[in-house]
């Protein structure tokens, strides 16, 4: 029986959630499966992957073929690298202790890289939040200044007696019409 390690879709429309399963290659995507290996949630940043490492490695050694996405997930968790190292032990390239040492070094570097990415995301999110608050404060000040300018009483200049303009003929005619 040809077996595949693949994703089984769960979740609602627009919010996918996947189970990583081992299934017969002829079974439908969300149908019957042999064993559940873990889960994959792409909705979080970074994506959340929960995987039973030993079960996945056992199925890979037995010959289960992962799909493209499942291969990426298994590679991210180190299952493919561990299988590669075990192949080297089997061929006699190095002993099992050296394989474990190499895998431990790879795991440490991978976890450091992931933590660096998480802190980078958190810092960029903080910076974006601070810049948005600064822009909002600036806009608020501009609005307050515009409202203050609009509501400020306009001081009309009242001419004094010395500066009173002389009456013109049109002003005199206009005043006669209003009186009469």
């Amino acid at each position: 029986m040809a077996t595949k390690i693949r994703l089984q879709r769960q979740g609602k429309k627009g919010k996918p959630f996947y189970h990583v399963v081992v299934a017969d290659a002829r079974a439908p995507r969300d149908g019957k499966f042999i064993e559940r290996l873990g889960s994959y949630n792409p909705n979080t940043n970074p994506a959340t992957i929960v995987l039973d490492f030993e079960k996945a490695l056992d199925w890979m050694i037995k010959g289960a073929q992962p799909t493209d996405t499942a291969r990426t997930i298994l590679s991210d968790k180190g299952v493919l690298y561990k299988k590669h190292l075990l192949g080297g032990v089997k061929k006699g390239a190095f002993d099992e202790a050296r394989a474990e040492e190499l895998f431990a070094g790879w795991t440490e570097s991978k976890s450091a890289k992931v933590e660096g990415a998480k802190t980078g995301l958190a810092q960029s999110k903080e910076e974006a939040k601070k810049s948005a608050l600064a822009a909002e404060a600036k806009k608020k000040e501009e609005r307050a200044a515009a409202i203050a300018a609009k509501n400020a009483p306009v001081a009309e200049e009242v001419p004094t007696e010395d500066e009173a303009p002389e009456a013109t003929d049109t002003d005199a005619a206009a005043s006669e019409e209003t009186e009469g």
Side-chain angles (χ1 to χ4, degrees), residues 9-12 14-18 40-48:
R9 193 179 197 283
Q10 305 288 311
K12 63 183 183 179
K15 297 284 185 180
F17 181 85
Y18 299 95
Y40 167 61
N41 185 2
N43 298 319
T44 60
N45 191 4
T48 307

Side-chain angles (χ1 to χ4, degrees), residues 36-135:
R36 183 170 174 239
L37 301 177
S39 63
Y40 167 61
N41 185 2
N43 298 319
T44 60
N45 191 4
T48 307
I49 301 171
V50 178
L51 189 70
D52 187 342
F53 187 85
E54 295 301 321
K55 284 183 183 179
L57 181 61
D58 184 46
W59 277 104
M60 287 296 294
I61 291 171
K62 288 179 184 175
Q65 296 296 312
T67 59
D68 293 338
T69 308
R71 180 181 303 279
T72 304
I73 291 170
L74 294 174
S75 176
D76 184 55
K77 288 298 181 180
V79 175
L80 295 179
Y81 185 58
K82 181 75 170 194
K83 181 182 179 243
H84 172 75
L85 291 174
L86 291 178
V89 169
K90 187 177 180 181
K91 291 178 184 176
F94 43 83
D95 61 345
E96 198 167 321
R98 176 74 176 137
E100 289 298 323
E101 181 182 315
L102 289 171
F103 186 71
W106 178 86
T107 307
E108 289 174 12
S109 67
K110 180 72 174 179
S111 64
K113 186 188 285 187
V114 169
E115 286 302 316
K118 283 182 181 179
T119 56
L121 283 172
Q123 287 175 349
S124 65
K125 194 173 183 181
E126 270 305 308
E127 290 173 6
K129 193 174 187 180
K130 286 181 182 179
S131 65
L133 285 173

Side-chain angles (χ1 to χ4, degrees), residues 129-145:
K129 193 174 187 180
K130 286 181 182 179
S131 65
L133 285 173
E136 187 176 331
K138 182 180 177 185
K139 200 170 209 179
K140 184 177 178 182
E141 289 173 6
E142 290 173 358
R143 284 183 184 162

